[in-house]
Amino acid sequence: MENRTVTVDLDDRSYDITIGMGLLEKAADFIPMSLSNKSVFIIYDESVLNYAETVANNINSTDAKSVYLVGVPSGESSKSFASVQSITEQILEKGISRNSLVIAVGGGVIGDLAGFCASILLRGVPFVQIPTTLLSQVDSSVGGKTGINTAQGKNLIGAFYQPIAVIIDTETLETLPERQVLAGYAEIVKCGLLYDAKFYAWLEEHGRAVTQLKHAHLVRAIETSVIIKAEVVKADETEQTGMRALLNLGHTFGHALEAAAGYDGRLLHGEAVSIGTIMALDLSARLKFITEDDFDRVIDHFEEIGLPTDLSVISPPLTASMDKYIETMRRDKKAVDGQMQFIVCKKIGKAAVHSDVSEKLIREIFRDTFGPDYQAILASQTVTEFKMKGVRGLWKSAFSSQS
Ligand SMILES: NC(=O)c1ccc[n+]([C@@H]2O[C@H](COP(=O)([O-])OP(=O)(O)OC[C@H]3O[C@@H](n4cnc5c(N)ncnc54)[C@H](O)[C@@H]3O)[C@@H](O)[C@H]2O)c1
Ligand SMILES: [Zn+2]
């Protein structure tokens, strides 16, 4: 199958995303600058050293001056000031100039971190993304958001900094654990729900083939997701008009769950997005934007694929109080003057920003999303009924009593 190319059209910051198999071995072919006599720095996730070496061998076969490998330990904790300092000092030590190239090889952690380093080294050097997780291939490598975490929260330090190319080699996914594949799928299905009803319907039919990494289906899902992301980013590169915020469907809820889990591996970002998307659609249904049938349809699809829809997957359970979730959401980057902002679906395939939501409603949605194991959290709530009916059963009765 031929490679697919999607262009992110951003004037002089435009770049191509190439999707195909076996691209690592010929990565240099997709880098739109001469490497002649240049230094190339490959910042990679230590768990994918072999992929970084494949890229390094290919660059070494060109007339580049030198190739350096800079390893970073796997995991979210690498998105830190300490890593930025260590990486940038290693690179400065080797000697970098404005026309050197930085390449990221790894998942979203490495892409965000290496991109941020590239944006501040000599005030900005060219940067290429080679994402190796499904989540980073469909989402984080596209659009130019780079950054790190601090004690105050995720991604609060960073820069908008576009790569000069994104090279997506789908073969790298063959070593990715299934749990990570599903986490990436959550961002794919999010794209359909927020922007493209036809794509969502296609996923209902073929989502299984995507998560089983059937090549043709996988490429189509990745390509469609990056086209959607590229369109939204083109319309609102630096999040000025609210358009780009639509990509955060499921993320206001999801971020609150991630924060409660303390980024300790109990809940992957994509899993939080999966549960958060269900909560956002629950909200959309309660606000009467989508029908109860639409909401059920989405739950059915998530369940069929094996995406989490409530908190029963998190073990040991989260212990944060309801107030804590509300507080986190008020402090979210997307909140305006403490007013929570939610992305809702006006219908399947069309999202909108909505801020006029009562705290009571949000608390109800959280309550219904907590599985029966969350009695400690629920102890302070009046939900004896909840324990008897189960999570979504209670929601349905709440829904019908309102309508
Ligand atoms: N910049 C953006 O627009 C944006 C968007 C979404 C998410 N993000 C960020 O992305 C990060 C999450 O990205 P992620 O889900 O890719 O996580 P990740 O980078 O931590 O990768 C997940 C795990 O997979 C391993 N891994 C990577 N590639 C592999 C492969 N091919 N085979 C086997 N194992 C492999 C990694 O070592 C890691 O353990 C978060 O920090 C999130 O904030 C950024
Ligand atoms: Zn996300």
Side-chain angles (χ1 to χ4, degrees):
M1 198 173 148
E2 271 180 31
N3 297 335
R4 308 290 306 166
T5 305
V6 177
T7 301
V8 185
D9 182 6
L10 296 169
D11 303 326
D12 58 342
R13 295 175 313 293
S14 297
Y15 53 96
D16 281 350
I17 302 164
T18 311
I19 308 160
M21 282 175 103
L23 303 189
L24 297 182
E25 289 100 89
K26 39 188 178 186
D29 294 355
F30 306 103
I31 296 175
M33 66 182 254
S34 159
L35 297 178
S36 182
N37 217 18
K38 308 273 171 62
S39 298
V40 178
F41 298 89
I42 300 176
I43 303 176
Y44 69 96
D45 182 317
E46 281 171 355
S47 70
V48 296
L49 169 64
N50 55 333
Y51 297 146
E53 283 176 343
T54 306
V55 174
N57 288 340
N58 172 251
I59 308 275
N60 265 321
S61 71
T62 70
D63 51 1
K65 184 168 80 184
S66 46
V67 182
Y68 299 102
L69 284 163
V70 183
V72 178
S74 308
E76 191 68 35
S77 59
S78 282
K79 274 176 61 173
S80 66
F81 271 122
S83 304
V84 170
Q85 180 171 10
S86 160
I87 292 166
T88 52
E89 287 183 359
Q90 285 178 64
I91 290 178
L92 292 170
E93 197 67 36
K94 301 274 193 291
I96 186 171
S97 62
R98 277 259 163 78
N99 57 12
S100 301
L101 175 68
V102 168
I103 302 179
V105 179
V109 163
I110 296 300
D112 282 11
L113 173 65
F116 184 53
C117 290
S119 80
I120 56 174
L121 277 160
L122 309 183
R123 298 204 177 86
V125 295
F127 165 57
V128 168
Q129 289 264 22
I130 305 189
T132 64
T133 63
L134 185 56
L135 186 135
S136 57
Q137 296 184 349
V138 298
D139 192 353
S140 63
S141 65
V142 178
K145 278 194 186 175
T146 72
I148 57 168
N149 307 325
T150 61
Q152 291 72 30
K154 267 194 74 170
N155 301 327
L156 295 180
I157 299 288
F160 285 103
Y161 193 66
Q162 300 293 346
I164 60 167
V166 180
I167 302 167
I168 298 178
D169 185 339
T170 55
E171 268 180 301
T172 60
L173 301 181
E174 278 161 23
T175 53
L176 193 67
E178 193 194 357
R179 187 178 169 201
Q180 296 284 353
V181 172
L182 291 179
Y185 184 84
E187 302 275 14
I188 294 177
V189 76
K190 175 201 81 176
C191 288
L193 287 169
L194 76 92
Y195 202 73
D196 188 338
K198 278 203 189 115
F199 180 45
Y200 177 72
W202 182 86
L203 289 170
E204 284 183 318
E205 202 170 328
H206 301 291
R208 265 252 187 261
V210 175
T211 57
Q212 288 166 352
L213 307 182
K214 302 243 164 72
H215 185 68
H217 295 92
L218 180 62
V219 169
R220 175 141 179 210
I222 296 173
E223 183 184 6
T224 311
S225 302
V226 298
I227 288 173
I228 291 171
K229 180 141 188 194
E231 285 213 10
V232 173
V233 168
K234 178 179 185 228
D236 182 18
E237 186 182 0
T238 54
E239 231 159 63
Q240 306 291 315
T241 67
M243 178 80 178
R244 188 164 179 161
L246 301 183
L247 294 169
N248 278 300
L249 178 66
H251 282 61
T252 308
F253 291 111
H255 284 155
L257 298 174
E258 269 187 293
Y263 314 103
D264 61 3
R266 276 182 291 171
L267 187 66
L268 302 177
H269 173 73
E271 292 170 336
V273 169
S274 172
I275 300 166
T277 301
I278 293 295
M279 296 172 85
L281 285 167
D282 188 341
L283 175 63
S284 311
R286 290 176 197 242
L287 293 171
K288 308 261 188 290
F289 294 139
I290 63 167
T291 63
E292 190 179 356
D293 282 350
D294 283 337
F295 182 46
D296 280 345
R297 184 180 150 195
V298 176
I299 291 183
D300 285 349
H301 178 57
F302 278 42
E303 284 178 350
E304 192 208 332
I305 294 293
L307 288 178
T309 57
D310 61 35
L311 303 194
S312 57
V313 290
I314 308 171
S315 174
L318 306 184
T319 51
S321 69
M322 191 77 79
D323 291 344
K324 189 77 195 157
Y325 292 105
I326 301 290
E327 189 194 314
T328 311
M329 288 195 292
R330 288 202 189 286
R331 273 198 289 124
D332 193 271
K333 278 207 294 298
K334 307 287 175 316
V336 178
D337 300 330
Q339 171 92 356
M340 293 180 277
Q341 302 270 352
F342 293 92
I343 314 301
V344 293
C345 277
K346 291 281 183 161
K347 56 184 184 189
I348 288 188
K350 191 172 183 350
V353 181
H354 197 79
S355 52
D356 182 20
V357 182
S358 76
E359 188 178 310
K360 182 169 165 281
L361 191 54
I362 298 306
R363 283 178 185 264
E364 277 170 24
I365 290 170
F366 265 98
R367 220 162 38 218
D368 292 356
T369 307
F370 292 135
D373 292 340
Y374 286 81
Q375 291 173 10
I377 301 160
L378 296 167
S380 58
Q381 317 291 336
T382 49
V383 284
T384 37
E385 190 193 1
F386 169 87
K387 289 173 199 158
M388 293 160 62
K389 288 195 178 164
V391 186
R392 293 293 155 198
L394 177 67
W395 177 79
K396 274 193 183 147
S397 62
F399 188 88
S400 39
S401 68
Q402 278 169 24
S403 48

